[in-house]
């Protein structure tokens, strides 16, 4: 398999680059940020997701894409202006270039912030309506819908991963529910790349956290079996974490739900 990874210079990209090295025939790595020298079986190409022709060149001869590139959090200011080129135009360019090049499968890094306005009392599966908690989450909803279109209309195999909190260890109280460890992230992407055949799936990118707000029950067939649990770190880490404010503690998206909030009560349901 020849694999293209976008956003390969980023936090998840660097871990996947190392974790997938040697597993597939060829890794083509791309980003606008420096990627360092290419190792054996690797190729590094600088490109902007806004450049459709460059995306087409990157997708030539590729079997599968892991699409991580783009704005990876809610911008504090001018969110739409920042998110539009990378996460709306950019994700379109990537899928369209992949289609034109005959790429078989795309694994898209979506986000838990596509469903951030659910209340924490509710467990959310992979097939419930989207409830984005900001402009960034909204861009991930667009990416998921785009993936669905390319699966339905063009026969592409598409996996959308609603990644929780990718960290070495949980870094706040919310992350005991949302954490995904680096090795679980690598396993999840591997499963999505190697599962024999599917049209479209959504899965949560979380470790085996007993207090998770999300359920992957509908995608057990994928064979993702997380090895880590945030719970193993709670006793040591939790006493050092400050309490969450009430709105943060109420919704899945935590602090993202508070940013720019115009209606402090939110809406239940
Ligand atoms: N890290 C997490 O906890 C988390 C949670 C949910 C979703 N995600 C998603 O996973 C993906 C990777 O996350 P990350 O934490 O590695 O983020 P990151 O910010 O470390 O990496 C994103 C990379 O995309 C590149 N990029 C940005 N704009 C680009 C453009 N116009 N053209 C080409 N490259 C561009 C950046 O240079 C960066 O290296 C993102 O799509 C993010 O939204 C991450």
């Amino acid at each position: 398999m020849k694999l293209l990874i976008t956003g390969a210079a980023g936090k998840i990209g660097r871990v996947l680059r190392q974790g997938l090295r040697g597993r597939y025939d060829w890794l083509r790595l791309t980003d606008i940020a420096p990627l360092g020298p290419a190792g054996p079986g690797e190729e590094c190409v600088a490109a902007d997701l806004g450049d459709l022709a460059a995306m087409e060149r990157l997708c030539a001869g590729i079997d599968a894409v892991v699409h991580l590139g783009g704005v990876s959090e809610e911008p504090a200011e001018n969110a739409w202006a920042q998110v539009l080129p990378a996460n709306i135009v950019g994700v379109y360019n990537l899928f369209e270039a992949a289609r034109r090049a005959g790429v078989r499968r795309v694994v898209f890094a979506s986000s838990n912030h596509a469903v951030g306005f659910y209340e924490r009392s509710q467990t959310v599966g992979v097939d419930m309506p989207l409830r984005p908690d900001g402009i960034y989450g909204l861009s991930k909803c667009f990416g998921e819908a785009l993936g669905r279109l390319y699966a339905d209309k063009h026969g592409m195999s598409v996996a959308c991963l609603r990644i929780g909190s990718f960290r070495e260890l949980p870094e706040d109280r919310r992350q005991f529910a949302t954490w995904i460890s680096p090795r679980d992230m690598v396993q999840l992407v591997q499963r999505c790349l190697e599962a024999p055949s599917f049209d479209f799936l959504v899965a949560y990118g979380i470790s085996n956290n007993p207090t998770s707000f999300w359920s992957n029950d509908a995608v057990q067939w994928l064979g993702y079996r997380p090895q880590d649990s945030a719970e193993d770190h709670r006793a040591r880490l939790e006493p050092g974490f400050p309490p969450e404010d009430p709105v943060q503690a109420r919704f899945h998206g935590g602090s993202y739900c508070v940013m720019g909030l115009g209606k402090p009560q939110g809406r239940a349901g």
Side-chain angles (χ1 to χ4, degrees), residues 6-14 30-34 47-50 55 67-73 85-87 90 108-113 136 140 161-167 180 185:
T6 72
K11 293 178 282 297
I12 297 178
R14 290 194 300 270
T30 185
D31 205 296
I32 36 170
D48 190 320
L49 289 162
M55 290 304 119
H67 180 46
L68 305 170
V71 173
S72 59
E73 54 191 17
N87 292 22
F108 167 58
S110 182
S111 168
N112 70 88
H113 293 290
Y136 164 75
K140 296 301 186 180
L161 303 182
R162 289 184 192 153
I163 300 165
S165 305
F166 172 87
R167 304 283 187 281
I180 180 164
M185 189 76 228

Side-chain angles (χ1 to χ4, degrees), residues 44 65 74 136 193 196 268:
C44 296
V65 180
E74 181 78 5
Y136 164 75
L193 290 170

